[in-house]
Amino acid sequence: MNAIILLLLALCGFFLSYKFYATFLQDKIFKLETNLITPAHQINDGLDYVPTRKSILFGHHFATIAGLGPILGPAIGVIWGWLPAFLWIVFGSIFLGAVHDFSILIVSLKNKGLYIGELAEKFIGKRVKIIFQVLVFFMLSLAMGVFVLIIAILFNMYKEAVIPTLSLIFIAIIIGILFRKYNLNLITGALIGLILISLSIILGVKYPIVNVSQTAWICILLFYAYFASVLPVWLLLQPRDYLNAYLLFFGLISMFLGILIIRPEIVAPAINNRAPDLPPLFPFLFITIACGAISGFHNLASSGTTVRQLDRTKDAKLIGYGGMLTEGLLATLVLIAVSAGITKAKWFSHYESWAKAGGLQPKLEAFITGASSFLSKLGIPTSIGQLLLSIMVVSFALTTLDSATRLLRYNVEELSRTVKFKYLQNRFISTLIAIAAIGYFALMKAGNQPIGLILWKLFGSTNQLLAALGLLVITMFVIKNKSNPVYVFIPMLFILTMTIWAIIAQLINFIGVENKIYSLIILSILILFLTIWLLIETIISYLKLKKN
């Protein structure tokens, strides 16, 4: 099959769903009032609540939810074959991921910008809020601990990308000040930013950063994440993610044009079962490809940072639903890159086993090799294309780190309100707690392996569990508002089933291995227990609602 067919099918599906399905959800299911005053205007503290132009907020939201997820997921998920991966990316994005992100944004918007845990308390019960807070704290701390470790590894893998990536921080601060204090035109700001980024790329190639240890990079990144979390969003996060979005759009457009020119044939099999250690497609495909289809992390972004910056109610559709569809398009392009951008022999060699293809470097190499072959048809030399793609990868990993650290700060503040411990509501102290938790998973070791990497096996299922629980909250909201819940209930039921199935399968595997890691077994049981508890609480809440 020609890759153009897959690309056009995905584009048509995304366009039609945005035009019709998103509008139906907005107008008929959630009944969103166009004149609603957003939390950004209601509170507007100049720190976290800042009314923001939709083009800047779209870039910030997209950079926050994307990161490495839609690259790494499809780059390993294709091992089951291009067909199940493609179907899950397209249909998952349209009917699960975009619905999840958009509906969480709307419900938070209609409830004065409440965070997902607070929404859970309001529509299900107080005990559910505590469960949410515990799950979010564990998931974000673990994920960002591993992300810090990954970025440190990436800095040593792609040394030429270090100066451009770090320079973008300072460039963003300059652009942020120009936007905020001098009301600089968006296009002018983007041009200034891109010129400075181009100069930083030249410096990065000429002066690659070497001889920095992994531990040193981790400490530098933790220091950066602390300040990125406490600074006003307009000063760093918004302009950096806005400029980062241009890097991504360059990658998207270049790959898209390259595919149109080459018209490559898919070399990967439609269904693959050759790998001897391949986990079963059901349920593991649905927790392996997460951010490219649906991800629980997104409900933290929608109800955490994004809703606090939404300028106008009518912008929610573009940012919430459209942002997820753009991520689905990125995941589709990555899927094509790793299934049509390399030779058939290389594909079967690369994906001969789950263990061989599943590491960080193999997944990134598959994407960068395939995508750079598309860029080469636009006259971009392969070496330059690989450099630009590596900068895109590293810089997007960094965007997830600083946004998620801020979200973890919100989580700590929310927990402190729950337990009535007011000192942790101070943003400097709560950020310090967040950084300590992230640093624990990044730096502490069990044996010779970082604890974060040991527990990472639980992240995929925990992340998707959070997505299911987010949809569960939305389902209760829709029921309470006497709308038809089927459009959120069915996606919730599907992803919840896949996730619980995966957790049980992983638990059986953890128990069955000879060298048992008891922390994985205990945490798996605890996550299952919390999930069952939350479902019971939801059923009780539903029965009370029905009775009344």
Side-chain angles (χ1 to χ4, degrees), residues 48 53 83-84 97 112 149 168 170 250 267 304 311 356 425 445 454 470 472 482 487 523 532:
D48 297 316
R53 286 173 281 192
L83 181 58
K112 298 181 180 179
L149 190 58
L168 187 54
F170 301 100
F250 164 77
V267 299
D311 184 29
K356 182 178 179 181
Q425 294 177 33
K445 293 185 178 182
I454 294 173
L472 185 63
K482 297 180 169 49
Y487 304 98
L523 280 171
I532 293 168

Side-chain angles (χ1 to χ4, degrees), residues 261-445:
I261 293 170
I262 300 174
R263 299 187 297 278
E265 292 292 325
I266 301 290
V267 299
I271 304 291
N272 180 48
N273 53 14
R274 291 192 184 187
D277 57 348
L278 187 62
L281 188 150
F282 285 91
F284 287 101
L285 171 68
F286 305 98
I287 65 169
T288 300
I289 300 179
C291 282
I294 181 173
S295 167
F297 175 73
H298 294 193
N299 68 46
L300 306 180
S302 288
S303 69
T305 54
T306 302
V307 73
R308 302 181 185 201
Q309 301 169 60
L310 195 69
D311 184 29
R312 300 175 300 177
T313 304
K314 64 181 183 180
D315 296 341
K317 177 183 168 184
L318 172 67
I319 293 164
Y321 201 94
M324 182 59 225
L325 292 185
T326 307
E327 186 170 351
L329 176 60
L330 172 59
T332 303
L333 288 167
V334 172
L335 178 67
I336 292 173
V338 299
S339 58
I342 56 179
T343 64
K344 188 172 185 177
K346 190 167 184 178
W347 193 93
F348 279 103
S349 172
H350 185 85
Y351 290 101
E352 66 181 357
S353 73
W354 177 263
K356 182 178 179 181
L360 174 65
Q361 189 164 350
K363 285 186 279 193
L364 290 178
E365 283 180 352
F367 163 67
I368 289 175
T369 300
S372 62
S373 71
F374 300 149
L375 269 60
S376 67
K377 296 304 176 182
L378 301 177
I380 300 173
T382 300
S383 59
I384 299 299
Q386 290 181 347
L387 172 64
L388 293 174
L389 289 165
S390 67
I391 292 170
M392 184 184 83
V393 166
V394 177
S395 63
F396 262 82
L398 200 59
T399 64
T400 302
L401 171 63
D402 52 26
S403 294
T405 303
R406 184 175 288 260
L407 290 170
L408 187 55
R409 182 197 112 201
Y410 295 160
N411 178 257
V412 173
E413 291 170 357
E414 190 181 309
L415 269 169
S416 69
R417 285 191 291 270
T418 301
V419 298
K420 295 179 171 46
F421 193 53
K422 66 178 182 179
Y423 297 105
L424 291 184
Q425 294 177 33
N426 179 286
R427 77 177 191 272
F428 298 103
I429 297 175
S430 58
T431 302
L432 194 61
I433 299 296
I435 292 297
I438 294 170
Y440 173 80
F441 287 110
L443 292 168
M444 296 300 291
K445 293 185 178 182

Side-chain angles (χ1 to χ4, degrees), residues 120-370:
E121 178 183 24
K122 182 171 183 177
F123 297 111
I124 302 178
K126 186 173 182 178
R127 287 187 293 269
V128 171
K129 175 187 177 181
I130 297 171
I131 296 171
F132 251 96
Q133 289 170 335
V134 171
L135 285 173
V136 168
F137 184 83
F138 168 73
M139 190 199 80
L140 281 179
S141 302
L142 170 61
M144 291 310 104
V146 174
F147 254 67
V148 166
L149 190 58
I150 287 173
I151 297 168
I153 293 170
L154 290 174
F155 276 168
N156 287 322
M157 281 173 58
Y158 304 110
K159 298 174 176 62
E160 295 85 357
V162 175
I163 287 180
T165 302
L166 297 181
S167 296
L168 187 54
I169 297 168
F170 301 100
I171 294 169
I173 291 174
I174 294 170
I175 300 300
I177 293 171
L178 291 174
F179 279 155
R180 179 79 172 184
K181 301 298 184 182
Y182 300 98
N183 202 26
L184 184 70
N185 178 275
L186 284 178
I187 301 300
T188 305
L191 287 174
I192 293 172
L194 292 174
I195 290 169
L196 293 174
I197 291 170
S198 300
L199 292 174
S200 73
I201 291 172
I202 294 171
L203 284 175
V205 173
K206 191 172 182 179
Y207 303 105
I209 303 298
V210 296
N211 300 325
V212 178
S213 70
Q214 187 170 294
T215 301
W217 276 130
I218 289 172
C219 294
I220 291 168
L221 289 166
L222 290 172
F223 183 79
Y224 161 73
Y226 179 90
F227 284 98
S229 175
V230 298
L231 288 174
V233 289
W234 61 264
L235 182 59
L236 175 58
L237 263 64
Q238 284 182 354
R240 193 170 69 75
D241 290 349
Y242 175 66
L243 293 174
N244 243 330
Y246 279 97
L247 291 177
L248 182 69
F249 293 146
F250 164 77
L252 287 173
I253 294 169
S254 300
M255 286 190 284
F256 181 82
L257 293 176
I259 291 168
L260 292 181
I261 293 170
I262 300 174
R263 299 187 297 278
E265 292 292 325
I266 301 290
V267 299
I271 304 291
N272 180 48
N273 53 14
R274 291 192 184 187
D277 57 348
L278 187 62
L281 188 150
F282 285 91
F284 287 101
L285 171 68
F286 305 98
I287 65 169
T288 300
I289 300 179
C291 282
I294 181 173
S295 167
F297 175 73
H298 294 193
N299 68 46
L300 306 180
S302 288
S303 69
T305 54
T306 302
V307 73
R308 302 181 185 201
Q309 301 169 60
L310 195 69
D311 184 29
R312 300 175 300 177
T313 304
K314 64 181 183 180
D315 296 341
K317 177 183 168 184
L318 172 67
I319 293 164
Y321 201 94
M324 182 59 225
L325 292 185
T326 307
E327 186 170 351
L329 176 60
L330 172 59
T332 303
L333 288 167
V334 172
L335 178 67
I336 292 173
V338 299
S339 58
I342 56 179
T343 64
K344 188 172 185 177
K346 190 167 184 178
W347 193 93
F348 279 103
S349 172
H350 185 85
Y351 290 101
E352 66 181 357
S353 73
W354 177 263
K356 182 178 179 181
L360 174 65
Q361 189 164 350
K363 285 186 279 193
L364 290 178
E365 283 180 352
F367 163 67
I368 289 175
T369 300

Side-chain angles (χ1 to χ4, degrees), residues 509-518:
N509 181 59
F510 296 154
I511 294 173
V513 297
E514 185 175 344
N515 298 316
K516 295 177 177 61
I517 302 176
Y518 289 98

